[in-house]
Every structure is written in C-alpha cells, then in structure tokens.
Amino acid sequence: MPGRLVHLSQVRSLIAVGTLLAGCVGDIGDPPEGTSQVEGPLCIEGTTQAGRSPIRRLTRFEYNNTVRDLFGDESQPANVFPAEEEALGFGNNADSLSVTPILAEKYMATAEAVAQRATKNVAALIGCDATTPKAARDSCVLDFIHDVGRRVLRRPVTESEASELFEIYESAFTIYANTRDPRQLPFQQGVSMIIESLLQSPAFLYRVELGQGLAALDPDESDDAVPLTSWEMASRLSYFLWGSTPDEALLAAAESNDLMTKEQVLAQAKRMLDDPKAREAVALFHQEWLDYDRVQNITKDMALYPEWSPAIGAAMREEMRVFIDHVVFDGEGDFDTLLTASYSFASPELASLYGKQTPAEPGSYRIDFPRGEHAGLLSMGAIMAYYAHTNQTSPVHRGKLVRETFLCDVLAPPPADVAFEVPEPEPSSTARDRFSAHSADASCNGCHKLMDPIGFGFEELDTLGRFRSTENGKPVDATGSIVDSDVDGPFEGVRDLADKLAGSEEVKACYTKMWFRFAYGRAESSQDACALEQLGQSFEKSNGSVKELLLALTQTDAFLFRQTGPTTPGEPMKGGE
C-alpha cells in the first residue's frame, strides 16, 4: 500500500504505527541470532539466490544525512534520538531497529523543528508566497507537494497522497485564521505542515522494498526472488554508499527505469563513490567495525600516564578516520595497506606523544615510522589505548580483538565459576609475566591459548600505543603465535603479525562478511552463500581494493533482488560477531 499519510490532528497514532513496524522485518518468526551455515553448493548456474529483504528503519546517521541533503539542515537533529542497538557489530541491523514510544515522540518533535527551519524563507523554497493569487498559489503548492514528496518518500507521490497533503496545507488557514503571531502565518505554516507530515510518514522513516511483479504483493505464496524496482534500487544504493537519500541523478534514473540491470547499477555506484558522501559511509563502517570512537571516553592512570587526556583520545579517533579515508580514497586503496602501512596522520599534539614532529598549526599531518614500529590499523593509538587497561597493556583484549574482529571467531565467555583478577603491575615484572597465568589454568586455557599468544605480539606498543623496547627495565618480548587459522605459526612484533593477517584468506573473508552485514543491514544466511563467494572472488581479483569490494557488493543477487517468500536463517556457522 503506497503510503497513506498522517494528519497532524492524528499524528500521535504514529506511535502505534512505529510499534507495529518495529517488529516488521520482512520475515515471519524470530530473527537469526547470528550467522547462518554456508555449506554445500554455493553458486548454481541459472538460479537467482537472494537472502532476506527486511524493512529497514533509518538510523540516526541516515536521518541526519537525509534532512541535510533534502533541506540543507545541518543541525543533526537525530542526535536526540535513542542510540541504536548494535547487532553483529553494526547499528543498522534491521532486526534490532525498533521504534519505541519515546522514539516516536522524538520523530514528531524533530519533524516539526526541521519543517519550521526549512520554511523560514518559504517563497524561495516553493516559488510563491502568501501574496500570490490563490489559484496560482494552490497550483504552486501542489507542484511543491509532488516535488518534495518525490524526494522525501524516494518515489512519486500518489494522487491520494497529494490530495491528503493539500488538505493538511489548507487546514492551516483554518487553524491560524485568527492568530496575529507572525511566526504562524497560515501560508508558511501550511507548507511547514506538509513537510512535517512527510517526515512522519512510514514511507520516509522506513525503506520498504516489495520488488517487481505480482509475487511481491503476495509473498507467502511464492519463494521466488524478484528484482527491485528502480525506485527501490535508488534508495538501496544511496543508503549503502552514502548513508543518505538519493540525489537528483539517482531519482531521474529511477524515473526513467534505468536501474534495472547490473550495468546500470554499477555505473551509478561508480559515480557515487566519487562523491564526498561516500567517504562518510566508509568512515562509519570502519568506526563501527573497530569500535575506535570509544577511545575518547576512556581513562588512564594519570600517575603513570600524565600525557593522557580526553583531547588526546579525540585526536586518536581523528587519526583513525583520516588514515582510513586516505588509504581507501586517496592512497593505495587496498586492504593490505590498511593492515600494514608504516605511516599515519596525526595532530601536532598526538605526533608529539608518538615522538614525532609536525608543523605546529592545527591539522592532521603524515608521520612515518621505522619499519617494525607501526602496522596500520593494528597499531593505531585508538586501538591500542582502548584495548588496554588503565595502568598497563592487555594481551588478552588485544588478542581477542584479532580473533573476533579480524578472524571473525566467536569466543565463548569465561566459565561462570572463574573470577580472574587483572594482575597489578609490579616494578620487576612484564605483562608477559603477569598474564601467563591464563595458560596455567586448565579452565581458562581453551580460549586464552587462542588470544594471549597473539596479544603478546603487541607488547612493543604500550598502553597509549607508543613503541617501546623495554618494560620496567627488561627487554620487551614481542614474540607471539597464531593457532587455529590459515596463517598458523610464530611471529615477532605487530608488523610481523600484520603481514601474516594481510596474507590470510580468513581475514579477507571476515572483512568481506563485515561489509556484507553493513551494506545489507542484516546477517548473512544460507541463501547468501553464492553472494559471499562472489564477493570473495572479486576482492581477491582486485588485489584487495576496498572500493572494488563496494562496487562488487552492488552486483550480487542479494543486492539486486529480494526473496518474496519466508526465508530460513539456517544453522550457526563459524565466524559470528
């Protein structure tokens, strides 16, 4: 049902609508708790294999970007919304994006505020004003309804919707007929109410994809995969690559039905990756994948690390963002460089912490490290400082990071009857001495043998991510080893570890899977086995190009089609969150 809009007098019913849609994710039954088994035949020639197509609610990031691109509103109004619940590492997982009564109330207040700001200069916005003769003014308003509705709803406005919106506009002349408040002039308020109503429509707040053909209208009667409409594809592309609403070029392509082939979709995706908005989406993916933004909120023992401050934490966060942005868009462009680069970008204050010098003026400057002292993402201050204790390093946390984030392993929580206390630093001990107790405890050894030998390889980087060769007067032992992977064996230091991981097919598959989850807003399922295989092949063929991986994500059946019938999540597989 192409969206019926909500009158302002009935706008509180959106709470009920939102609550209903909160559990509507395009499938019947409980959502998958993790991933699904990817076994047996993968790509079968002549078949279309598309996984679930859940209804997707806009996230705060997407809402902010959308109103910015629609109305030039850069106030980031969605920041007042409750934070999204993360699932499988990301905040855009459709199965976790519910609408609570509090959020519905925020939608109402925010829609009103955005609409009021958008109509401050109503004549410039719609091309007529209150002094325009009524017949011409009504025609102007109707044209505006179709234009703004097409952009807000990301599809053409139906005649019934246009009629309803015009009624809402006209109601302003009755509501405000006797007011003398210049802020509530009927014409301006009527236009504002049009925008306010559109911003509260489920067709705006959700991305509903029905696909083409009659099968899409009766999903319980068919298990077929159907292609998306061009309008739906425009939204799917824009929210994947930009985290925002389609631009005019995408809407024009949809209107011409020019988003129906792989080639048409690929051409738009290439254009979109050259837009600065793509950098925002890529930055968000890596921020959520690595959780590096949390570094600005941690604390350190100031007696041991007086150099630490929230400002340094914020500078480390910015270092990560600038480094990733440079590598993906301006530098080498490949995943190997993300893992192994011996350079970074830092503010003067952060560079000084690392023992480097840069110009004193504010900004981010490239700093180069001697080989062996730095290795891309793995040795960034934001990662090292966050995955450490307040008064010492943490081989456990750093090893766990590699296993779960880079190898996609799922590690069991510690036994309920085990209470291991973090050992206090002693003047004569090293971290390796203090944390070796895990391997001696049989109840802990099963998991810690997977983490600790990796974590010890980070010991050349202290709690703040600075390179060191000694700890408490003793030489640092940064030897480590990896087991239960495709790159098993010993290594020495973080650069050696990074080289191993860069050569791992499991690590590349993990990175690809993380992008799948982020791009599609859901967990992978057994129906996605072929798509994952194709993505892995494309990533390998492109020598690990991140941009080529993003383009490949737009070319799979999982992106181009939707499954019309109920889908089965499948069995849990190795490599969950």
Side-chain angles (χ1 to χ4, degrees):
M1 179 177 66
R4 177 159 178 81
L5 298 166
V6 183
H7 286 282
L8 293 185
S9 61
Q10 302 168 320
V11 81
R12 290 183 182 275
S13 66
L14 180 66
I15 295 176
V17 174
T19 303
L20 277 174
L21 287 177
C24 185
V25 294
D27 291 301
I28 299 174
D30 294 329
E33 295 182 357
T35 59
S36 298
Q37 189 74 22
V38 179
E39 293 180 352
L42 300 182
C43 296
I44 303 173
E45 188 172 352
T47 65
T48 298
Q49 301 177 55
R52 305 164 59 235
S53 185
I55 293 173
R56 297 166 174 85
R57 172 174 71 74
L58 298 188
T59 65
R60 292 177 301 166
F61 174 78
E62 292 167 341
Y63 190 107
N64 282 336
N65 289 346
T66 297
V67 297
R68 176 200 65 195
D69 294 339
L70 287 172
F71 304 111
D73 191 322
E74 297 187 356
S75 65
Q76 296 191 315
N79 287 356
V80 301
F81 297 171
E84 290 86 18
E85 181 181 346
E86 289 188 6
L88 297 176
F90 300 102
N92 68 343
N93 189 292
D95 294 325
S96 299
L97 292 177
S98 62
V99 174
T100 62
I102 292 176
L103 178 56
E105 293 280 359
K106 296 289 186 183
Y107 281 153
M108 287 188 282
T110 301
E112 181 179 5
V114 170
Q116 290 292 335
R117 288 192 290 269
T119 55
K120 280 185 177 179
N121 188 348
V122 67
L125 179 67
I126 75 170
C128 58
D129 60 25
T131 66
T132 304
K134 185 177 187 309
R137 189 178 66 209
D138 288 353
S139 177
C140 173
V141 170
L142 280 170
D143 287 344
F144 172 72
I145 286 172
H146 282 282
D147 175 63
V148 74
R150 169 178 170 271
R151 292 187 294 114
V152 172
L153 303 184
R154 305 176 287 275
R155 59 163 173 77
V157 175
T158 66
E159 288 305 317
S160 63
E161 289 171 338
S163 176
E164 184 179 357
L165 286 166
F166 191 77
E167 289 177 13
I168 290 173
Y169 156 77
E170 286 192 313
S171 70
F173 289 86
T174 301
I175 296 172
Y176 300 108
N178 299 318
T179 183
R180 295 185 179 182
D181 187 343
R183 295 172 300 175
Q184 296 181 333
L185 296 174
F187 175 72
Q188 178 180 344
Q189 191 63 24
V191 174
S192 178
M193 289 163 66
I194 291 171
I195 296 174
E196 186 178 343
S197 298
L198 284 167
L199 293 181
Q200 293 176 84
S201 168
F204 167 73
L205 295 170
Y206 288 84
R207 290 192 289 132
V208 180
E209 298 166 347
L210 298 178
Q212 297 186 61
L214 294 176
L217 302 179
D218 195 4
D220 290 336
E221 297 301 319
S222 172
D223 288 328
D224 293 337
V226 295
L228 300 183
T229 68
S230 283
W231 292 103
E232 293 165 348
M233 181 54 66
S235 287
R236 188 173 275 200
L237 275 169
S238 66
Y239 282 102
F240 164 36
L241 293 174
W242 287 345
S244 187
T245 195
D247 66 354
E248 184 54 40
L250 269 177
L251 292 176
E255 200 155 31
S256 302
N257 205 27
D258 287 337
L259 290 173
M260 295 306 301
T261 68
K262 282 188 172 184
E263 293 75 19
Q264 290 171 334
V265 171
L266 182 61
Q268 287 290 343
K270 288 180 176 178
R271 174 186 72 85
M272 295 169 70
L273 280 180
D274 289 333
D275 190 287
K277 288 183 286 190
R279 295 176 182 248
E280 299 177 41
V282 169
L284 179 66
F285 164 81
H286 288 94
Q287 176 186 308
E288 294 194 347
W289 175 49
L290 297 169
D291 266 347
Y292 69 78
D293 59 314
R294 301 187 186 190
V295 69
Q296 59 192 355
N297 300 319
I298 65 173
T299 59
K300 296 294 179 183
D301 187 325
M302 298 308 295
L304 298 174
Y305 302 100
E307 309 91 338
W308 178 258
S309 68
I312 286 293
M316 288 178 170
R317 181 181 185 274
E318 180 67 3
E319 176 192 17
M320 283 284 281
R321 187 196 67 79
V322 173
F323 169 74
I324 293 167
D325 183 81
H326 170 82
V327 172
V328 174
F329 290 99
D330 303 316
E332 299 84 345
D334 63 294
F335 182 60
D336 283 8
T337 301
L338 285 176
L339 287 179
T340 64
S342 58
Y343 64 86
S344 186
F345 295 85
S347 67
E349 296 77 15
L350 184 56
S352 178
L353 179 75
Y354 294 149
K356 305 293 180 181
Q357 289 187 336
T358 66
E361 292 78 15
S364 293
Y365 300 93
R366 175 166 172 151
I367 54 176
D368 292 278
F369 298 86
R371 181 176 174 84
E373 292 188 8
H374 189 85
L377 298 175
L378 290 173
S379 52
M380 287 287 182
I383 297 291
M384 292 295 93
Y386 182 70
Y387 290 95
H389 298 296
T390 59
N391 58 0
Q392 61 185 312
T393 61
S394 176
V396 179
H397 288 155
R398 291 174 174 180
K400 186 172 185 284
L401 165 74
V402 171
R403 296 240 62 123
E404 293 190 334
T405 302
F406 290 90
L407 286 164
C408 281
D409 286 345
V410 180
L411 301 178
D417 59 346
V418 173
F420 181 82
E421 296 183 3
V422 177
E424 288 297 320
E426 297 179 359
S428 60
S429 68
T430 66
R432 185 181 289 269
D433 298 330
R434 296 189 292 272
F435 285 91
S436 292
H438 295 115
S439 57
D441 189 327
S443 63
C444 299
N445 183 258
C447 282
H448 282 281
K449 71 178 181 181
L450 300 175
M451 300 183 294
D452 297 12
I454 297 176
F456 288 135
F458 288 93
E459 279 304 294
E460 290 175 325
L461 299 172
D462 74 358
T463 303
L464 303 185
R466 297 174 297 189
F467 184 81
R468 64 182 182 179
S469 57
T470 64
E471 181 187 5
N472 290 329
K474 294 183 176 181
V476 166
D477 180 358
T479 58
S481 64
I482 305 179
V483 297
D484 287 358
S485 76
D486 62 338
V487 286
D488 286 359
F491 64 88
E492 184 169 1
V494 67
R495 178 53 193 257
D496 198 6
L497 170 62
D499 287 339
K500 269 185 169 293
L501 296 179
S504 167
E505 294 305 315
E506 290 182 4
V507 170
K508 292 184 178 70
C510 178
Y511 185 69
T512 299
K513 182 162 56 179
M514 293 301 105
W515 265 113
F516 180 101
R517 294 174 178 177
F518 179 81
Y520 301 164
R522 61 176 176 84
E524 67 281 3
S525 70
S526 56
Q527 291 92 347
D528 300 309
C530 177
L532 287 168
E533 180 183 54
Q534 292 174 335
L535 291 172
Q537 292 171 350
S538 297
F539 198 37
E540 181 69 26
K541 185 178 179 180
S542 70
N543 294 317
S545 167
V546 177
K547 291 175 72 173
E548 288 297 323
L549 174 60
L550 303 192
L551 294 176
L553 280 159
T554 70
Q555 299 295 288
T556 67
D557 286 352
F559 192 84
L560 299 167
F561 295 81
R562 74 173 298 273
Q563 187 68 251
T564 60
T567 57
T568 304
E571 299 298 324
M573 63 175 285
K574 177 189 177 185
E577 186 174 358

